[in-house]
Amino acid sequence: MAAVLAGIALPLSPVQILWINLVTALTLSLTLAREPAEPGIMRRMPRSATEQVLSSRAIAVVLTASVVIGVATFVVYLLERDRTGDYAVAQTSAVLMLALGQLAFLLNCRLLNGSAFTVRVLTGNRNLWISAGLLMALQIMFTYAPFMNDWFDSTPIGFHSWALTAGLAVGVFVVMEGAKAVIRRIGNRTPREQGALPAGNATHRA
């Protein structure tokens, strides 16, 4: 929508969007199904019976990640388009950015209630590496297999495009860790503020 309003050609074609949704659903989504529980889960307060399946904190994280990954993808598209003058290269790089950005966010999601700046985020679930390897294999096929180039209007890309997308994927991970910390702080502060009694009421009850 932003591209249309700005008068810019769409960063991704409908069939490329279908591709990235399919491969991430078949790889990254399945990883979370075998994800072990986070440390300290038994020390948390029980969920309220009236609480939604997705808490406001989880929704805030997901929405923030959508914006961050979307912006990173759009930036890659614009940079590669201006650098090469080739829309196919720009679109293929943008698809790769979406894949790597979602892989980075998967690492963020492994420790939603704590910092993912720890070695633990890379251990404890071997399916993570299987899924990541499968995702990369599919992306390499999408980028370099001639029949995939014909089907999806993709094209081979060089080292610069891979380095750019990988670097921005690391940036997505770092930005989302900062966003998680802010959202956690706001979420932890709100219940205390709601539970605090005004000074007058506290004196009256005493």
Side-chain angles (χ1 to χ4, degrees):
M1 180 62 73
V4 173
L5 294 176
I8 301 173
L10 290 176
L12 301 179
S13 67
V15 71
Q16 289 170 344
I17 295 173
L18 178 63
W19 164 262
I20 198 64
N21 287 337
L22 177 64
V23 296
T24 53
L26 290 176
T27 57
L28 304 184
S29 298
L30 294 178
T31 300
L32 294 177
R34 302 292 299 274
E35 182 68 18
E38 288 189 36
I41 190 171
M42 297 304 293
R43 293 193 294 271
R44 297 179 197 168
M45 293 293 292
R47 290 172 61 95
S48 169
T50 60
E51 185 177 350
Q52 298 178 351
V53 175
L54 282 178
S55 65
S56 57
R57 183 184 301 186
I59 292 174
V61 170
V62 171
L63 291 178
T64 303
S66 299
V67 172
V68 171
I69 296 173
V71 169
T73 300
F74 197 50
V75 167
V76 166
Y77 171 78
L78 293 177
L79 291 177
E80 290 300 272
R81 185 201 62 178
D82 293 344
R83 183 180 70 87
T84 66
D86 189 331
Y87 283 98
V89 169
Q91 287 185 323
T92 304
S93 301
V95 172
L96 178 61
M97 182 66 244
L98 270 178
L100 294 182
Q102 292 186 62
L103 177 58
F105 183 52
L106 174 65
L107 298 179
N108 296 123
C109 290
R110 294 200 66 203
L111 294 171
L112 272 179
N113 294 290
S115 173
F117 289 122
T118 171
V119 176
R120 186 190 177 279
V121 80
L122 301 176
T123 62
N125 186 354
R126 69 170 187 166
N127 293 297
L128 168 67
W129 297 107
I130 296 173
S131 296
L134 182 58
L135 174 64
M136 294 312 301
L138 290 170
Q139 276 303 122
I140 290 172
M141 182 176 68
F142 171 86
T143 304
Y144 298 105
F147 70 94
M148 297 293 280
N149 297 158
D150 293 336
W151 291 351
F152 294 97
D153 294 325
S154 58
T155 192
I157 57 177
F159 174 79
H160 182 279
S161 300
W162 282 92
L164 175 63
T165 52
L168 283 177
V170 174
V172 167
F173 176 81
V174 173
V175 170
M176 284 309 304
E177 280 306 298
K180 281 168 48 184
V182 171
I183 292 169
R184 280 198 308 271
R185 178 169 297 182
I186 294 173
N188 291 336
R189 185 175 58 194
T190 301
R192 290 197 298 268
E193 291 176 349
Q194 291 176 344
L197 288 171
N201 288 349
T203 304
H204 176 73
R205 289 196 176 189

